[in-house]
Amino acid sequence: MNTHTQLATYNFAYLDEQTKRMIRRAILKAIAIPGYQVPFASREMPMPYGWGTGGVQVTASVLGPDDTLKVIDQGADDTTNAVSIRAFFQKVANVAVTTRTADATIIQTRHRIPEETLNEGQILVYQVPIPEPLRFLEPRETETRKMHALEEYGLMHVKLYEDIARNGHIATTYAYPVKVEGRYVMDPSPTPKFDNPKMHKSQALQLFGAGREKRIYAIPPYTDVISLDFEDHPFEVQSFEEPCALCAACDVYLDEVILDDLGGRMFVCSDTDHCEKRRADGHVGPLAGETAETAP
Amino acid sequence: MSDHSLLRVNAVTKFYGSRVGCRDVSFELWPGEVLAVVGESGSGKTTLLNAISTRLMPTSGTIEYRMRDGQFRDLYSIGEAERRFLMRTDWGFVHQNPADGLRMTVSAGANVGERLMAIGDRHYGNIRGSAAQWLGRVEIETNRIDDQPREFSGGMRQRLQIARNLVTGPRLVFMDEPTGGLDVSVQARLLDLMRGLVNDLGLAAIVVTHDLAVARLLSHRMMVMKDGNVIEHGLTDRVLDDPREPYTQLLVSSILQV
Amino acid sequence: MATPLVVSEVAKSFTMHLRDGVRLPVVEKVNFAVAAGECVVLGGPSGIGKSSILKMLYGNYSVDSGQILITRDDVTVDIAGADPRTILSIRRDTIGYVSQFLRTVPRVPAVDVVAEPLLARGRSQEEARARARTLLEKLNLPEQLWSLPPATFSGGEQQRVNIARGFITNHPLLLLDEPTASLDAENRAVVIELIRAKKEAGTALLGIFHDSDVREQVADRIIDVSEFRAARDAA
């Protein structure tokens, strides 16, 4: 992997300096107006749309030589998307990488927020497929921009109403809309709604990049992020009946893992780093022994 | 009828380039009053309706509306946010094609409840209750509340559109050919319903129609437009029974008798 | 008490633009008054302009010149120059009108057609319907028809609905355009009775009655409309 010498013709972190300046300006504007979608001149990246081109451009623009980068995909450090992006930045920026949440200065994520509370100085970069929370109800961009400008968010509740009417409860489980600092309604990207409370008053800076849609938005540290709901159907996060099968953690987001073709399955932490850390600390889940040889 | 008018339209003119949309139209509308604007296609009646309802900026002239605080405000000088708020609370707009006024892919209940949610109602049970009540008022079975309007007939869609508009208790409703494209029997039912609602709620309404029978049934007052000008204006039965202008006489004499 | 209706120097003509602008004069120099508690009948042959006069008084036809002064509670309004809103409020509160033909509204049952003028004056639905039923009963309209829309009724049945609608309110001025034209003797008698009751209540009535029997029984005065006949110009 140590091939940076062969890449001398690439600028640091792949993007040219003018592009990074342009993106940093967009980021600064996004931080100044929490939750507001700032258009930016998204570049072609050496990966297809849908693979995190927005997040990668944001990361490339805020990344410095002294940073330590962690990349997760659905909470895991070892999935294809995470491994590829981590390798990409190792190659084009030669930065230190880690899987440990606490050690990272920048964490690029797809679909999760780490279980471990983030701290001041850390930056969480989200990969966003569709930044516009109103899009599925109002297809016209001119109209959705006007709705944001005028704070016309009744439509957002129409979506939640439909959920309750159809399912008896708010069935939206991911990309659950939030209101940022009492002003802009924002799509938190397809993270499970389980993670929504972590965005509220987070000490870390949260940046969102949508490459195909050419939008950047942000939540500065210590910002109010409130999930939309009804008085008689208040916002609730998912709860799990059993703890993590490997580390016995409760109150974390679990993934279902199919063990065989006989219906065997287990639920384990989606945040692999969190799980490993707990196991290293001596926490043992009910199935930890049986799967020790296959566990990562 | 109240002593204060609700709407004051002063010398409204709209040009499309050098072509006249409507010219120098002035009138006042009082609470509880229904005004019909009739004329054939291209006579400027829809242009006028759009100009008054702040959907089309006039070339000149003013439109003043008496807000709920009792003050008249020039609609084109207030901010867009206030104007849009007005449109979704104090006004209604019933389109000829219900698909233009409804969200076809959300349920009937949400279509009716949207305006309530837009003004900050955050209690699902109350919103649904209001929606059910309004569906009843427009004669849609309450058990259709979770069905989408694309599963409804034309007449039902139009009634749903009316319910969606009236849920916030507007004082002024604009209607653009509200019965156009409906079967005669469906039309009659809709007209009767609108007539009842206008009476019960004391609504003021401006109804654009080319159908003089609709105008006679719904309106108190009538304006006849031709080539962008209002050529005759008066009590509906006076205009229809004793038309003065050549064009109005032609219109009235062209009504099919059953 | 002021005279509820004074008609002064009224003239009316029609200009038929579809027939090369030919002008058809109807009446001119119409002068008369109707006092409270009086029933005045407009007489003269057909086509002389009797209905046109009633329609002008009701604001249904425009007036070329002259004044139609309606006085109520010491407030006088000239119908000839009144705006639509004023005419509507006068129709609601002051002038009742029984037209020759009932203009039906789809789907509205007879009892509600009759009750409507009372509702418009702010009375409760129950009270208005009860009063409507009483009148329809008095006019011998079969009870099974009350809840049906009058569109399919016979001429006589429609006319009785129309009469009930006109008589349900206590408007101080009532215009009657041949209310008994298609009624049988029994129902004519009911209408005569209703007119007498209105007179006793102080209503000013102005009517057209072709039936001389009815006319004699109700009329305090007969005005010959032929006197107002306008000179035809040679168009």
Side-chain angles (χ1 to χ4, degrees), chain B residues 1 22 95 97 110 114 135 138 145 173 188 211:
Chain B
M1 285 186 194
C22 65
H95 297 262
N97 179 1
E114 180 176 346
L135 291 181
V138 298
I145 192 168
V173 177
D211 187 335

Side-chain angles (χ1 to χ4, degrees), chain A residues 209-228:
Chain A
R212 180 179 42 210
E213 302 288 325
K214 303 177 172 55
R215 294 288 184 274
I216 285 171
Y217 51 103
I219 303 172
Y222 303 104
T223 299
D224 283 338
V225 180
I226 308 296
S227 303
L228 303 182

Side-chain angles (χ1 to χ4, degrees), chain A residues 3-158:
Chain A
T3 51
H4 62 281
T5 47
Q6 300 164 16
L7 291 164
T9 51
Y10 279 99
N11 194 34
F12 177 77
Y14 185 78
L15 292 174
D16 63 274
E17 292 305 311
Q18 285 301 328
T19 296
K20 285 196 273 185
R21 277 174 72 175
M22 174 272 292
I23 293 174
R24 285 175 197 141
R25 280 195 204 105
I27 291 170
L28 286 173
K29 183 169 177 182
I31 292 169
I33 317 170
Y36 172 72
Q37 298 167 47
V38 182
F40 79 110
S42 178
R43 298 292 193 247
E44 291 290 329
M45 297 303 286
M47 60 186 74
Y49 288 133
W51 283 66
T53 54
V56 165
Q57 289 178 78
V58 170
T59 299
S61 303
V62 298
L63 193 67
D66 303 330
D67 274 311
T68 305
L69 180 68
K70 169 181 162 81
V71 183
I72 52 174
D73 174 7
Q74 311 260 22
D77 293 274
D78 54 1
T79 46
T80 314
N81 195 246
V83 170
S84 306
I85 292 173
R86 196 162 59 228
F88 172 76
F89 280 112
Q90 275 182 299
K91 189 182 275 183
V92 299
N94 196 26
V95 289
V97 294
T98 182
T99 59
R100 302 190 70 93
T101 300
D103 295 345
T105 54
I106 297 171
I107 303 169
Q108 180 169 333
T109 178
R110 173 176 174 268
H111 298 191
R112 273 313 307 280
I113 299 175
E115 303 292 357
E116 200 174 325
T117 307
L118 301 178
N119 296 308
E120 276 187 22
Q122 289 186 300
I123 300 175
L124 185 59
V125 178
Y126 296 75
Q127 300 169 199
V128 181
I130 295 165
E132 180 48 71
L134 300 164
R135 179 61 67 236
F136 289 106
L137 297 155
E138 176 51 69
R140 292 166 294 182
E141 175 73 7
T142 48
E143 189 62 18
T144 53
R145 289 183 73 95
K146 198 168 269 182
M147 289 160 87
H148 281 295
L150 300 175
E151 249 185 296
E152 288 183 4
Y153 291 132
L155 203 51
M156 222 53 254
H157 275 85
V158 169

Side-chain angles (χ1 to χ4, degrees), chain A residues 160-172 233, chain B residues 124:
Chain A
L160 301 180
Y161 171 98
E162 288 288 88
D163 253 12
I164 303 172
R166 269 196 218 114
N167 308 295
H169 59 96
I170 298 178
T172 302
H233 287 270
Chain B
Y124 172 82

Side-chain angles (χ1 to χ4, degrees), chain B residues 57-249:
Chain B
M57 180 123 172
T59 311
S60 63
T62 59
I63 294 129
E64 294 170 293
Y65 182 72
R66 186 159 56 84
M67 300 294 197
R68 289 195 189 229
D69 64 5
Q71 300 299 307
F72 273 99
R73 306 284 297 280
D74 179 351
L75 292 178
Y76 281 97
S77 66
I78 62 176
E80 186 170 15
E82 196 179 354
R83 204 154 66 215
R84 283 172 67 116
F85 182 76
L86 187 75
M87 286 181 84
R88 62 172 192 259
T89 54
D90 218 22
W91 288 8
F93 198 108
V94 177
H95 297 262
Q96 175 174 8
N97 179 1
D100 294 339
L102 291 172
R103 293 194 191 280
M104 297 303 279
T105 55
V106 308
S107 69
N111 262 291
V112 178
E114 180 176 346
R115 276 177 161 228
L116 295 174
M117 294 183 246
I119 57 174
D121 203 325
R122 290 290 175 268
H123 192 285
Y124 172 82
N126 295 350
I127 293 164
R128 197 170 169 80
S130 300
Q133 193 196 333
W134 270 101
L135 291 181
R137 277 189 94 155
V138 298
E139 301 170 20
I140 294 174
E141 304 250 346
T142 313
N143 63 16
R144 304 296 304 269
I145 192 168
D146 293 329
D147 293 346
Q148 295 182 357
R150 55 183 176 186
E151 297 161 23
F152 288 3
S153 68
M156 277 173 81
R157 288 179 187 182
Q158 200 56 297
R159 295 202 299 278
L160 179 64
Q161 194 190 178
I162 289 169
R164 172 178 160 90
N165 272 286
L166 296 186
V167 67
T168 50
R171 295 186 298 161
L172 174 59
V173 177
F174 300 94
M175 301 187 195
D176 188 4
E177 302 279 7
T179 59
L182 297 177
D183 291 344
V184 181
S185 60
V186 176
Q187 260 193 38
R189 183 177 182 189
L190 188 70
L191 282 171
D192 175 40
L193 179 78
M194 289 195 294
R195 204 169 154 272
L197 288 170
V198 164
N199 282 340
D200 293 350
L201 304 172
L203 291 177
I206 297 178
V207 183
V208 160
T209 180
H210 66 272
D211 187 335
L212 297 181
V214 169
R216 187 188 284 270
L217 209 53
L218 279 183
S219 71
H220 301 112
R221 220 165 18 118
M222 193 159 131
M223 288 196 324
V224 183
M225 293 192 73
K226 183 173 192 291
D227 302 332
N229 298 303
V230 173
I231 55 161
E232 189 156 358
H233 184 185
L235 209 57
T236 297
D237 59 278
R238 205 283 292 154
V239 174
L240 291 175
D241 294 341
D242 182 15
R244 316 285 288 164
E245 294 298 317
Y247 178 70
T248 316
Q249 291 187 357

